[in-house]
Amino acid sequence: MRRFLTSASALTAGALFLLVLPFSSAAARGAEEGLNVALATAIPSLFPFFVLSGLLIRTGAARQLGQWCAPLFGRVYGLPGAAAGPLLLGLTGGYPIGAQAARTLYDAGTLSRAEAERLLGFCNNTGPAFLIGVCGAGLCGSVRLGVLLYLIHIAAALLTGLAMTEKGRTPAPAEHRTQPPVLPFATCLVQAVEQAGRSCLKITAFIMLFSMLRRVIEAAGFFQFAQALCAPLLWFLGAPPDAAEPLLVGLLEMTSGLVLLPEGAGHALLPAMSFLVGFGGLSVLCQTAAVVGGLSMRRVFYGKIIHGLTAAALTMLVLAVLPHPAPAFASASILLPHHPAAGICFCVISIGCATFSGKRRHNRL
């Protein structure tokens, strides 16, 4: 198996090199676009939350929140109350703030490796600034729709946590856990800023990488051949064929795919948008891997699949019950998928398969 993985990695690296070589100008243009996006949007919005999350954990503020949430989190998710901090930060700060907070708690000894990896399955989420400002006001022309998407996103994250929780799992008592020393505020601030700077550098690199890959794949014409991969998802969402390229781009880099969705998704705009925001794309997964260090990414991968499908299913349900919310440029009648029941059934089956597979793999470890 190890020899096979080594060969596969070598072949993948060689294929990427041969793919980029004839499209070097497209690769350079994509890297420049990614750098501009990182410097203009991602880093300014993420850096304050990186610093604040580090301060909250290092100064002990997150520990106090954990004491308040310990009964609820232990009973519902089988995790200590300190896990509420990364979940809250992930739902307010965006990708990958929650993941970094979970890693910080693990480094401090507040969470065990198993607890941190289970928490990573549902604490790494999009924040309200992106969903309300970019998706709602920017792409849909409606702040109200952005708020609706954010509420659905929160519900999907909490339900994903339930799907990833193992029965009979209870957290260890607080007295059996390592209590990190309380450091002076100046020391906490310096450490938080240093870690935030390293995380921002890693995120910038991955944004540039996937922006580059998107432009190279687009120049090579692979999106036209890869549209067949999205055919099942398009049918169940009731989306037109033109939505294939935005979904494929979004699976690589979430923001770029979301920007293209209004032009091709048609009546499936909101479910497709919820799916991409919940899954996050390969770029977000790589950014998460960069900030969590040596923690396993299995739970993150399965958790994001479950989150995306759950968010899409919840969006279909909301549109079926309340079909009136609509973007400023579209009528409400075209937002509801042609067959929401089929889409919801597909999402439920997929969630069940991903949950079973994720738990089975985890139990083998």
Side-chain angles (χ1 to χ4, degrees), residues 298-299 302 356-365:
R298 283 194 178 97
R299 284 299 182 103
Y302 286 110
F356 175 75
S357 181
K359 290 183 177 180
R360 184 178 61 181
R361 285 177 177 267
H362 181 74
N363 291 335
R364 287 178 179 175
L365 298 178

Side-chain angles (χ1 to χ4, degrees), residues 127-281:
F130 184 84
L131 273 167
I132 298 175
V134 177
C135 296
L139 299 179
C140 295
S142 171
V143 173
R144 187 163 61 100
L145 270 181
V147 173
L148 177 64
L149 289 173
Y150 181 56
L151 295 177
I152 290 174
H153 190 67
I154 293 175
L158 298 178
L159 291 173
T160 300
L162 291 177
M164 303 295 285
T165 300
E166 299 172 358
K167 292 183 178 180
R169 178 83 67 169
T170 56
E175 57 269 17
H176 295 165
R177 298 179 180 275
T178 303
Q179 297 297 330
V182 179
L183 301 174
F185 180 82
T187 303
C188 295
L189 179 62
V190 170
Q191 293 180 355
V193 172
E194 288 179 349
Q195 185 179 27
R198 290 194 297 269
S199 298
C200 287
L201 182 61
K202 295 175 183 177
I203 289 171
T204 300
F206 281 113
I207 291 176
M208 292 176 64
L209 170 66
F210 281 93
S211 179
M212 178 196 75
L213 288 177
R214 177 213 166 181
R215 287 303 181 185
V216 169
I217 293 173
E218 185 179 56
F222 284 175
F223 279 128
Q224 297 177 359
F225 297 101
Q227 287 182 359
L229 297 175
C230 288
L233 184 59
L234 291 175
W235 188 86
F236 282 111
L237 289 176
D242 291 341
E245 182 173 349
L247 285 174
L248 288 170
V249 172
L251 291 176
L252 279 177
E253 205 285 309
M254 176 184 67
T255 305
S256 300
L258 289 171
V259 170
L260 296 175
L261 268 180
E263 299 178 3
H267 49 262
L269 172 62
L270 294 184
M273 189 174 288
S274 292
F275 172 78
L276 287 182
V277 168
F279 178 67

Side-chain angles (χ1 to χ4, degrees), residues 14 33 79 95 118 153 161 172 205 209 236 252 283 291 314 316 342:
E33 292 174 354
L79 292 170
Y95 295 118
R118 278 192 287 133
H153 190 67
L209 170 66
F236 282 111
L252 279 177
S283 178
V291 300
L314 289 177
M316 292 178 193

